[in-house]
């Protein structure tokens, strides 16, 4: 049932409407309070038909988010995590454009971390927690830096300067086009 066309379509939806991230949750009810990290792929959209199709292809958490403001529309939020996220990312990776680096980092994270079950309230080893935190920070950086820039070696202020520069260039080009027409 799942084929290359569906993979390409899903990649387009994720590139345009989705987010690939590493989620960090602090569970303060645990004795050792070590954060939990998970890979999440999220798509938010107002089309129930689209979201039901995503759910058909890759069953996940699907919830209706009520409009918070009068002029907003209700929207659906589809979230797939963990091993299911791995299957989805491996399926769409060849077709992703905008979020390809995030998908590659998410898959690397899943390959690199040691499965850990803190039942019995044992603290996660410091090395494992630090590794997960580094991946979390790398993903956070990938998701906050404009797509035109690389993450490695770029400070936040440099990325801001590049973004402002590109916006300035775009505004100047728009003004020139208005003058011509």
């Amino acid at each position: 049932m799942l084929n290359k066309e569906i993979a390409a379509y899903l990649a387009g939806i994720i590139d345009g409407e989705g987010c690939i991230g590493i989620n960090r949750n602090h569970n303060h009810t645990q004795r050792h309070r070590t954060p939990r990290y998970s890979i999440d792929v999220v798509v938010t959209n107002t089309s129930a038909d689209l979201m039901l199709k995503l759910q058909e292809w890759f069953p996940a958490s699907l919830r209706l988010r009520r409009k918070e403001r009068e002029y907003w529309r209700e929207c659906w939020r589809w979230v797939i995590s963990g091993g299911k996220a791995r299957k989805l990312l491996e399926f769409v990776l060849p077709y992703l454009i905008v979020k390809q680096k995030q998908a590659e980092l998410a898959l690397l994270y899943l390959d690199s971390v040691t499965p850990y079950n803190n039942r019995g309230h044992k603290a996660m080893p410091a090395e494992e927690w630090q590794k997960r935190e580094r991946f979390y920070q790398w993903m956070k950086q990938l998701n906050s830096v404009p797509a035109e820039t690389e993450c490695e070696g770029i400070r936040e202020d440099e990325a801001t300067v590049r973004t402002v520069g590109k916006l300035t260039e775009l505004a100047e080009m728009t003004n020139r086009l208005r003058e011509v027409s």
Side-chain angles (χ1 to χ4, degrees):
M1 176 168 161
L2 295 177
N3 56 38
K4 290 181 180 182
E5 288 81 14
I6 292 173
Y9 183 81
L10 277 169
I13 295 297
I14 293 167
D15 271 344
E17 302 286 331
C19 177
I20 300 170
I22 297 176
N23 192 13
R24 177 177 63 184
N25 290 315
H26 292 277
N27 186 348
H28 294 292
T29 61
Q30 295 177 359
R31 195 171 81 188
H32 296 287
R33 297 183 179 177
T34 54
R36 295 185 57 181
Y37 298 85
S38 65
I39 296 296
D40 293 336
V41 179
V42 180
V43 174
T44 304
N45 195 280
T46 58
S47 170
D49 292 336
L50 170 65
M51 303 310 271
L52 290 172
K53 189 54 89 171
L54 293 179
Q55 186 71 356
E56 178 186 320
W57 291 330
F58 282 91
S61 169
L62 179 61
R63 297 203 172 143
L64 179 63
R65 181 176 166 195
R66 303 283 176 203
K67 55 185 184 177
E68 294 176 18
R69 300 222 176 5
E70 185 178 321
Y71 52 89
W72 286 9
R73 293 169 59 188
E74 291 181 332
C75 66
W76 294 90
R77 182 177 167 90
W78 177 78
V79 181
I80 191 164
S81 302
K84 290 181 179 181
R86 174 193 290 277
K87 289 178 184 175
L88 172 67
L89 293 173
E90 288 171 344
F91 184 61
V92 300
L93 184 63
Y95 305 98
L96 287 170
I97 298 169
V98 178
K99 303 216 170 55
Q100 185 177 32
K101 289 181 182 179
Q102 287 89 333
E104 289 170 347
L105 183 62
L107 291 169
L108 182 62
Y109 170 87
L110 290 169
D111 290 338
S112 300
V113 298
T114 305
Y116 181 75
N117 182 344
N118 64 349
R119 290 186 190 146
H121 304 288
K122 295 179 182 175
M124 181 185 297
E127 308 81 44
E128 184 64 26
W129 176 83
Q130 290 166 354
K131 180 177 14 173
R132 292 172 188 227
E133 182 63 22
R134 277 194 307 275
F135 273 102
Y136 169 78
Q137 293 300 328
W138 289 335
M139 184 67 80
K140 187 175 172 183
Q141 188 178 11
L142 269 177
N143 283 329
S144 65
V145 173
E148 299 84 26
T149 62
E150 294 290 326
C151 278
E152 288 184 40
I154 295 179
R155 296 191 330 258
E156 186 175 327
D157 55 337
E158 290 173 337
T160 303
V161 168
R162 288 184 188 181
T163 303
V164 170
K166 292 205 180 286
L167 291 174
T168 303
E169 287 174 29
L170 182 62
E172 289 172 0
M173 286 174 38
T174 305
N175 288 335
R176 277 186 253 139
L177 287 172
R178 285 184 185 148
E179 291 172 4
V180 171
S181 47

